[in-house]
Amino acid sequence: MLELRDVAARYADGNEALRDISLSVSPGEICAVLGPNGAGKSTLVRILSGALKPASGTVSLFGDNIATLDRRAIAQRIAVVPQTVEVAFGFTVRQVVAMGRAPHQGPWMSASNADNEIVEHAVRACDLVTLADRQVKHLSGGEQKRVAIARALAQSARALILDEAASHLDIRHAVELHEVVCREVVDRALVCVVVLHDLNAAARYADRVALLKAGRLIAFGSVEEVMTYRRLKEVFETELYVGVNELDGKRYFLPVRPSH
Ligand code: ADP
Ligand code: MG
């Protein structure tokens, strides 16, 4: 289980980016984090990955306080696809995906057969087979994003965090990404947190929704509890239409043109 208790986050310039955040995500669950630009979503990801220490409160990961774990121990437990992916110059796709195995390997980083199988599984899952021997720096933004996702899958961590991972993907790869994540979460009972701007994807895939605004957790609960017309309008300050798809009973959302 991933659990945050009364977490606050502050940057070096004194900016308090999160305040009073308490939530938990269980194995096998996807938690979508929604909120406008600047709400604190990426800050929450940094807190979960140990990249930013909470100013107060605690983050616990499968029973361990993250503050007591070193970088390697955190990387064995949690895989993160950051919002901005850094390109590893001079490496091929397969080499970058294989870097996901590093937290499980000794100082010489020699790959076992099991490591290679995990890497190939991640390469296939992210539709990278035909790109596997290409240099990552020569790929498009969306392709590079898929490499980062494959690398995170190869990390075989029990928690998977994705920050706007689908944002630069074409519609087919966005759908495939959500499906891959969903399948991995169920098959391997992962704890999963996804930052999304796509309300429809959130309603389709999330078991829980955390709605953030100005560093505060406005609501945390099921899609039906959290993704209501009133709450979304308040948080995003925009008019939208909330419907229910009769085929699957899931909510869907359409932006509405403001009336003049
Ligand atoms: P989101 O991902 O929801 O768009 P962020 O978590 O990136 O939002 O940012 C939340 C707030 O923290 C914003 O006001 C942003 O300007 C501020 N912030 C983000 N990163 C830093 C930083 N490194 N130093 C100072 N303030 C930051
Ligand atoms: Mg962000």
Side-chain angles (χ1 to χ4, degrees), residues 11 13 15 17 36-43 46 83:
Y11 284 107
D13 60 4
N15 177 16
N37 297 138
K41 303 180 300 296
S42 294
T43 304
R46 281 183 211 119
Q83 184 169 0

Side-chain angles (χ1 to χ4, degrees), residues 235-252:
V235 164
F236 289 100
E237 295 173 26
T238 190
E239 194 60 45
L240 43 83
Y241 174 83
V242 182
V244 176
N245 182 346
E246 286 187 0
L247 286 176
D248 60 8
K250 301 275 188 192
R251 288 196 187 174
Y252 67 93

Side-chain angles (χ1 to χ4, degrees), residues 32-202:
V33 179
L34 305 177
N37 297 138
K41 303 180 300 296
S42 294
T43 304
L44 183 65
V45 169
R46 281 183 211 119
I47 290 278
L48 294 177
S49 65
L52 184 67
K53 303 259 171 290
S56 59
T58 53
V59 180
S60 86
L61 199 51
F62 309 110
D64 297 315
N65 184 335
I66 204 168
T68 67
L69 302 173
D70 62 21
R71 286 181 74 87
R72 185 178 164 90
I74 292 173
Q76 286 169 351
R77 290 167 175 76
I78 194 157
V80 181
V81 179
Q83 184 169 0
T84 320
V85 172
E86 291 145 40
V87 181
F89 282 98
F91 292 101
T92 67
V93 168
R94 186 176 277 110
Q95 284 169 332
V96 171
V97 177
M99 288 173 195
R101 299 303 302 154
H104 303 282
Q105 292 166 344
W108 306 106
M109 308 244 299
S110 55
S112 66
N113 284 343
D115 286 324
N116 292 335
E117 267 173 42
I118 290 166
V119 168
E120 290 313 311
H121 170 79
V123 164
R124 277 194 305 277
C126 296
D127 193 26
L128 293 168
V129 175
T130 56
L131 300 176
D133 298 316
R134 299 259 310 271
Q135 297 257 321
V136 172
K137 66 177 174 194
H138 293 147
L139 303 184
S140 76
E143 289 167 342
Q144 288 177 358
K145 201 94 198 206
R146 274 155 47 211
V147 176
I149 295 157
R151 177 184 159 153
L153 290 181
Q155 215 172 308
S156 304
R158 288 156 68 197
L160 179 63
I161 317 285
L162 301 126
D163 193 350
E164 296 192 31
S167 289
H168 295 94
L169 302 188
D170 63 55
I171 193 160
R172 171 187 147 206
H173 286 107
V175 170
E176 284 182 6
L177 166 68
H178 293 136
E179 290 295 328
V180 164
V181 168
C182 212
R183 204 162 54 231
E184 296 275 329
V185 167
V186 172
D187 289 355
R188 294 167 46 210
L190 304 182
V191 165
C192 184
V193 177
V194 289
V195 174
L196 289 175
H197 278 302
D198 182 344
L199 300 178
N200 293 303

